[in-house]
Structure formats: C-alpha cells, structure tokens
Amino acid sequence: MQNKSTLQEIEERFDKDVERFSNLETGQATMLDSAFNLDLITDCIQQHYPNLSSVLDIGCGAGNYDVKLLSRVTSNPSVHLLDLSQPMLDKAKERVSPLTQGEVKTFKGDFRTVDLVENNYDVIIATAVLHHLRDDNDWETAFVRLHRLLKPGGSIWIFDMIQQNTPKLQEIIYTQRYGNFLIHLKNEEYRDHVFAYIEKEDSPRPLVYQLNLLQQVGFRQVDVLHKNLCMASYVAFK
C-alpha cells in the first residue's frame, strides 16, 4: 500500500484528462460497459425517485452521470459535485448548471473529509472512485460517511472495478480476459500501460466484501445491478 499513488498524484492525473471524461457515448473507455452503466444507473434513479430533489456525485469527473440523469428528470434537483480535480469540477459545473433550476455547487477534496450536511441527499453517485480507497479502515470510514450523508430512504449508486475473492478467478477474469479487452481496445502496450497505473493507483475490493460492508454499516438493502468481468454496478438503500 505504501507505494500506491497519493491523492495529490491522482488529482494531477485527472487534471490533465478532462475532455476524455466528458464523452457521454463512451464514458470511461477502460471501464467495461461504461456507457451501458451510465444509462442503467440514471434510468434506475429516475424511476425510483420521480420527485428527486438532491444529488451528490462524489468523484464526479466531468459530470457525465449528472448530465445524463438531468436529461431524464423534471424535478430540478440540487446537484452537489465533488472531486479532487478543479478542472473536472469546472467542466462538470459548466455542463450541469444549465440543466436544472436547483442549486449546483462544487466541493473540491476527499469526500470523507469535505464539509457536507448529513441526512441531506436522496441519491449519492459514486462511479470509478471507491477503488482509490486503501485499507479496511478506509473502506469502513467511507461507507459510514456515505450512509450518514443520505436521507432516510436515500441510496448510493456505485459503478467500479472489483476483484474476485478467489486468486485463480482473479487471474482468469482480470489478467486474462480484461487484459484481452484492453488489447482489443488498442494493443498490448496499452494493456500494460493500464495495468501499470491500476497497480500504482487503485485498490479494488471484491464485490461480496463491499456488499457485506454496506450492510454492516447500516444500509438496509443492497442489490447488484450489473457485473461484467472485473466491473460491477450496485446500489444500497438507507
């Protein structure tokens, strides 16, 4: 863990990548089924919360999920955008502000420590962000905080990289099959590049670990939306 990227290093990488993260058609290309999950999650939120009033997007990037969600809802929710990267926040606010009459506010920093109002959000969106957590204490602290930020009946919607519990399955699903996906996306050099920055920057945990922990910290119900190899989307209700 001591050799993993710092939050500052992660921030600096994303500062340089705003335009790539602004593409609604592809989403984040290295995330399997990225565009599919963008559509799936925002559709589920819209149908589950027809009178949606408040959204928090942690690790919002350039705001793709918020743009897509606001294209579906008519309730003009407030949208709070949180990210380590100021250029990402600037782009997200620029794109989101014209789409709702609700408050659009940005927060720069780590979602575990930024000053946010508890019991305040119908929905929290967390896509491609939790894999930056490190040890068990990090994960528990994060899930406890997210639970406290939600209103009763609120929910968190997650799409992220995961690991397998079984080492051999991790080899097959991640190294072999996800590796082949990256080769087909570009080439072997690109696969090695992606694997290198995942090893340096990310600390994904098994899906079962995360679902169990969500329930342990107080979420009353969890559900899996979609899984493809080492990527999964899932939801937890307070």
Side-chain angles (χ1 to χ4, degrees):
M1 292 297 181
Q2 67 269 23
N3 295 321
K4 291 287 187 180
S5 298
T6 64
L7 288 180
Q8 182 176 351
E9 289 171 329
I10 295 170
E11 175 185 339
E12 290 169 353
R13 184 170 80 82
F14 283 102
D15 281 352
K16 302 171 185 176
D17 219 3
V18 174
E19 291 308 315
R20 182 168 69 90
F21 283 85
S22 303
N23 191 326
L24 284 173
E25 299 304 316
T26 62
Q28 191 173 344
T30 57
M31 299 281 288
L32 286 157
D33 295 340
S34 181
F36 173 86
N37 280 285
L38 173 63
D39 184 68
L40 173 65
I41 287 174
T42 54
D43 184 34
C44 287
I45 292 171
Q46 185 272 325
Q47 293 196 49
H48 205 278
Y49 297 93
N51 299 310
L52 183 69
S53 65
S54 52
V55 176
L56 171 66
D57 188 348
I58 63 171
C60 66
N64 280 355
Y65 274 78
D66 311 287
V67 170
K68 178 69 81 169
L69 179 61
L70 291 170
S71 74
R72 297 180 183 276
V73 303
T74 58
S75 56
N76 287 300
S78 66
V79 179
H80 289 180
L81 304 161
L82 191 154
D83 205 276
L84 293 174
S85 168
Q86 189 61 51
M88 288 287 191
L89 287 170
D90 293 342
K91 174 60 79 172
K93 187 171 185 180
E94 173 191 315
R95 298 171 75 207
V96 169
S97 293
L99 303 179
T100 181
Q101 295 175 27
E103 176 188 56
V104 178
K105 188 174 181 180
T106 61
F107 299 84
K108 184 181 184 303
D110 184 336
F111 74 89
R112 293 167 296 175
T113 56
V114 167
D115 187 18
L116 297 167
V117 178
E118 295 186 353
N119 298 299
N120 191 48
Y121 299 102
D122 293 322
V123 162
I124 297 175
I125 298 170
T127 60
V129 62
L130 298 181
H131 61 250
H132 293 135
L133 299 170
R134 299 303 183 214
D135 58 23
D136 286 346
N137 184 65
D138 259 358
W139 282 89
E140 183 172 356
T141 299
F143 282 173
V144 167
R145 180 91 201 280
L146 294 167
H147 184 270
R148 289 174 177 168
L149 292 172
L150 287 166
K151 298 175 183 177
S155 52
I156 179 165
W157 302 77
I158 300 167
F159 171 49
D160 218 323
M161 173 173 282
I162 58 169
Q163 283 188 327
Q164 297 299 130
N165 278 315
T166 308
K168 184 60 178 178
L169 286 176
Q170 177 68 6
E171 165 70 19
I172 296 167
I173 288 174
Y174 176 75
T175 307
Q176 296 178 22
R177 290 186 171 264
Y178 180 56
N180 285 337
F181 165 78
L182 295 172
I183 291 171
H184 291 144
L185 201 59
K186 286 193 178 179
N187 50 43
E188 290 185 2
E189 183 180 356
Y190 181 69
R191 175 202 60 193
D192 295 344
H193 166 72
V194 173
F195 277 179
Y197 80 65
I198 289 173
E199 179 64 26
K200 173 67 174 172
E201 189 171 291
D202 304 337
S203 304
R205 288 297 179 92
L207 178 57
V208 172
Y209 170 91
Q210 295 183 55
L211 297 176
N212 287 339
L213 184 58
L214 286 163
Q215 291 185 304
Q216 288 170 24
V217 304
F219 285 93
R220 62 179 172 83
Q221 189 173 13
V222 298
D223 219 332
V224 177
L225 304 173
H226 180 72
K227 181 182 183 296
N228 186 355
L229 299 181
C230 55
M231 308 292 170
S233 57
Y234 36 110
V235 59
F237 294 91
K238 181 173 179 177

